[in-house]
Amino acid sequence: MLTNLSIRNFAIVSHVEIDWHHGMTTITGETGAGKSIAIDALGLCLGERATTSVVRPGTDKAELIASFDVSGNKKAKQWLTEQELNDENDCIIRRLINSEGRSKAYINGTPVPLAQLKMLGQLLINIHGQHDHQLLLKTTEQRQLLDDYAQHHGLLDDIKFFQKQWRTKNNELNSLLESQQQRQAQQQLLQYQVKELDEFSLQQGEFSQLEADFKRHANAQQLLVISGQCLNQLSDENEYSVSAQLQKIADDVQQLAALDKGAESIANMLVDASIQIQEASRDLNYYQQSIDLDPEAFNLIEERYSTAITLARKHQVNPEDLFDYHQKLQAQLSQLSGDEERHQHLHDELDTIKEQYHQIAEKLRVSREKSAKKLAKLITESMRELSMPDARFNVQIDHQVNEQLSSHGYDDIEFLVSMNPGQPMEALHKVASGGELSRISLAIQVILAEKVITPTLIFDEVDVGISGPTAAKVGQKLQQLGSNTQVICVTHLPQVASKGQQQLFVAKLTDGKHTQTSVTPLAQDAREREIARLLAGDEITDNAIANAKELLAS
């Protein structure tokens, strides 16, 4: 519950600090005094966006601090713990707004974004504004009210989960369908290209080998001539050959080494060189013998080499990259074939998701119909208690299975009402007047508040358009609600104001230069005079005082 609200430099408030009690608190004051100032400040504490106009003129920033006791609020405590913002049983929200419109927010001293304030605020306070009853005319709001009453949060979460899955899969399927013609053309081209390259079947690294073999066969005659000349120059059968000359030099240096050990290393190197020349000559001989002058083999190599170059040119790649390009085309063709398989698989997935969605939607429909009867009965009873003796209320559910899955199931919900005997049930917006609509809205809010427990409920002039005996019954309804939860009600009706365990009076003070708002808890005598003022106006009579005492006593 809300325990304290501190407001500094906010609108026309210089500084106000309010302690809040259990039960029902009413807020009254003269027109234009700013009775809703505390509600507006709480709204900002709970994440509403701020503007520069909220900062009191002549000051640089507004400060709003709301303190809550969350000892009995399991959801709020759990959320605070999960966000690592827990401070045992206390929750303090602080909002600073500077004159340029920028703001900072804190929960238990930790800076937080506005989104977190909003999430926490939903667990702490439920604010009903004076124009909320207009929302009641929207069928989407009517469906939400029924689902809140029936506590369908789990079923709706499941519905939204499957609807999101269905939307994702359906978008993917539509994308596949939209590109199907283009994909088929691309697939035909790839099939032709891959078939052509499959038939050629170039292996990894083969082109480099083909290129080397082609050069070797194309130059075989020249290779034979050059290698023969080299062998003749190296051969030790020729006394003028490199081998013979080197051997002679090696023998001479060995003689030097026999006379002078300083020449030994040179002799050894020459011996090694002589051996290497002999080995080179032998290897060159083997090489010459391996040179192939087979024209048929050369023709096969030349043909494959030329085909590889032609295919590479055709596909606009380098010949040495032709193998990798072939693999790439195969992968693309496999992916397109996989898209066709994915197309069928998506159909199967969508059918499964729709079946799961339908099962949840059917559970939701059954629960809605059951809850609708209970809610209609409760609202009818409450309307009659609020001076609509012949009223009848009904919740119409139109169940239509559609191909398109929505985030709320297959049901369209509409509130129907009949205000007079013999009058047929019609849509709420066609029948109810402004005052009747306000009372119906209040009846629903009271019923939902008892069903969906929120620690603090705020009613900001929801009794607009209500007077006389009806006002007394509205006050009783709110007082009844205050026995289970904290209720804060801004009102102009004495019948409502008198039902609070605590009453706050809002006044606007001015010295001609500056204006500010004050909020004062009223003691019994002051309360009697304020209720009398609401009854009689500015001229408070003894009868008005007596009537005020009677209202407070009741």
Side-chain angles (χ1 to χ4, degrees), residues 208-224:
S208 297
Q209 186 61 48
L210 277 174
E211 189 173 38
D213 290 345
F214 175 78
K215 287 181 179 179
R216 186 163 57 85
H217 280 78
N219 297 286
Q221 187 63 46
Q222 187 178 1
L223 294 175
L224 281 171

Side-chain angles (χ1 to χ4, degrees), residues 45 63 96 157 183 240 282-283 293 365 380 408 470:
C45 282
E63 180 185 53
L96 296 176
D157 286 344
R183 192 170 61 253
Y240 298 108
R282 185 169 58 252
D283 290 346
L293 292 176
R365 179 191 67 80
T380 296
H408 55 76
T470 304

Side-chain angles (χ1 to χ4, degrees), residues 302-348:
E302 183 180 28
E303 181 182 357
R304 189 160 178 78
Y305 177 65
S306 298
T307 302
I309 292 176
T310 301
L311 285 173
R313 187 181 297 116
K314 180 178 181 179
H315 292 283
Q316 299 181 338
V317 296
N318 295 322
E320 56 269 22
D321 297 329
L322 190 60
F323 174 82
D324 291 337
Y325 180 72
H326 182 197
Q327 303 304 306
K328 177 182 176 182
L329 292 184
Q330 284 180 324
Q332 290 178 351
L333 182 59
S334 297
Q335 182 179 357
L336 286 178
S337 300
D339 284 346
E340 295 302 320
E341 294 177 6
R342 180 61 178 159
H343 183 276
Q344 182 57 49
H345 190 55
L346 280 171
H347 274 294
D348 296 339

Side-chain angles (χ1 to χ4, degrees), residues 349-367:
E349 285 183 317
L350 284 168
D351 288 341
T352 301
I353 291 170
K354 287 180 72 172
E355 178 60 29
Q356 292 170 318
Y357 177 95
H358 179 73
Q359 291 174 3
I360 302 299
E362 182 61 20
K363 289 182 181 178
L364 189 59
R365 179 191 67 80
V366 171
S367 180

Side-chain angles (χ1 to χ4, degrees), residues 244-275:
Q245 293 295 319
L246 183 60
Q247 185 62 50
K248 182 179 183 304
I249 295 170
D251 292 341
D252 291 342
V253 174
Q254 280 184 329
Q255 292 181 17
L256 287 176
L259 300 174
D260 183 2
K261 291 186 178 296
E264 279 186 357
S265 61
I266 301 172
N268 291 335
M269 285 189 288
L270 288 171
V271 170
D272 291 341
S274 178
I275 293 171

Side-chain angles (χ1 to χ4, degrees), residues 269-300:
M269 285 189 288
L270 288 171
V271 170
D272 291 341
S274 178
I275 293 171
Q276 288 180 338
I277 290 296
Q278 292 174 8
E279 291 178 350
S281 178
R282 185 169 58 252
D283 290 346
L284 184 57
N285 184 50
Y286 294 151
Y287 168 76
Q288 186 185 48
Q289 292 176 11
S290 70
I291 297 174
D292 192 356
L293 292 176
D294 183 357
E296 185 176 348
F298 177 55
N299 287 338
L300 292 174

Side-chain angles (χ1 to χ4, degrees), residues 528 532 535 540-553:
E528 290 172 359
L535 286 166
I540 300 175
T541 64
D542 291 341
N543 285 337
I545 292 290
N547 288 337
K549 289 181 178 181
E550 185 178 351
L551 283 175
L552 289 168

